[in-house]
Amino acid sequence: QATIVDMSPDSMHIALADSGKCVGIYRRERNVLESGKEVPWLYLGRYRSHHGAIVGLKFVEDKDAGIIRLLSLGQDRVLVEYDLANSFAATGIVVRSAVTVEQTAVPTALLVLPPAAHPGEDPIRPLVVSANNEYKLKILDVLGLSGVHDERPLPSQDSHCVQTVLGPTYGLSALNWLMVLPGTDADKHYCVYTTPEKVVGLMKLPLDGNPNSSMGLIAHAGPVAGACIS
């Protein structure tokens, strides 16, 4: 059963996470079935990359390197990056790196920050946010996950964690879904979040741990099954 579906920014790949802790990838490519029918999507394969439930699956556009990355985050505390360029239907999905991002806390959601959304960081450098069950938000440098990217040494290879801040503490459970609201003003970014029970809210970017930069409201009488933005 599919639990998360995401499409790449260039609309060339679709990734699915399922309840079997696996990630499947489709590529937009001419494909002729045995029956002779032509279909626009080629199934590259399915890879079991986690031993805990997958809570985040995101494509990240790396403008500096000119590639698109695929990341998955699981309750096993591991953030996995997949090598899309070297993944094919004949050979299967290739994993580029797998990094443990938590020690005791359990990840609950994954977010891709928009460019220049975090002060003091290179606006071209892709950053993601991992939420956990201790109401913390951990900002991660995607290029720091493997230590070296495209033979370019990182300015600092000590850690892939840029900053850890306090997240919204509304509701009985931590955040389980995060998405940045689309907007034209580069100086004003907001993030929508949901919790498993009742609460939906907003956070103002950049993330700084200030409780006055977020709000939450009781939107449902019971569990929140899903959300979307337009």
Side-chain angles (χ1 to χ4, degrees), residues 60-61 63 111-119 121-129 139 179-183 185-191 203-207:
V60 182
E61 187 174 7
K63 295 182 179 179
L111 170 72
V112 179
L113 286 178
H118 195 69
E121 296 295 322
D122 187 345
I124 301 179
R125 212 169 177 80
L127 298 176
V128 297
V129 177
I139 303 170
M179 183 65 70
V180 175
L181 280 174
D185 193 339
D187 297 327
K188 294 182 180 179
H189 291 290
Y190 295 89
C191 172
M203 291 186 290
K204 185 178 180 181
L205 301 181
L207 300 173

Side-chain angles (χ1 to χ4, degrees), residues 50 82 89 109 112 122 134 145 198-199 208 218 227:
H50 297 274
Y82 305 87
V112 179
D122 187 345
E134 295 179 352
L145 298 177
K198 301 181 180 181
V199 177
D208 56 5
I218 298 177

Side-chain angles (χ1 to χ4, degrees), residues 56-129:
L57 184 67
K58 297 290 184 182
F59 285 97
V60 182
E61 187 174 7
D62 187 350
K63 295 182 179 179
D64 190 22
I67 62 174
I68 292 178
R69 300 164 171 271
L70 175 61
L71 305 174
S72 67
L73 178 65
Q75 289 183 346
D76 54 1
R77 305 180 178 91
V78 176
L79 184 65
V80 178
E81 180 184 352
Y82 305 87
D83 192 342
L84 294 176
N86 294 312
S87 297
F88 304 98
T91 56
I93 298 174
V94 178
V95 170
R96 183 166 189 165
S97 65
V99 177
T100 300
V101 296
E102 298 283 359
Q103 294 185 1
T104 58
V106 178
T108 59
L110 184 66
L111 170 72
V112 179
L113 286 178
H118 195 69
E121 296 295 322
D122 187 345
I124 301 179
R125 212 169 177 80
L127 298 176
V128 297
V129 177

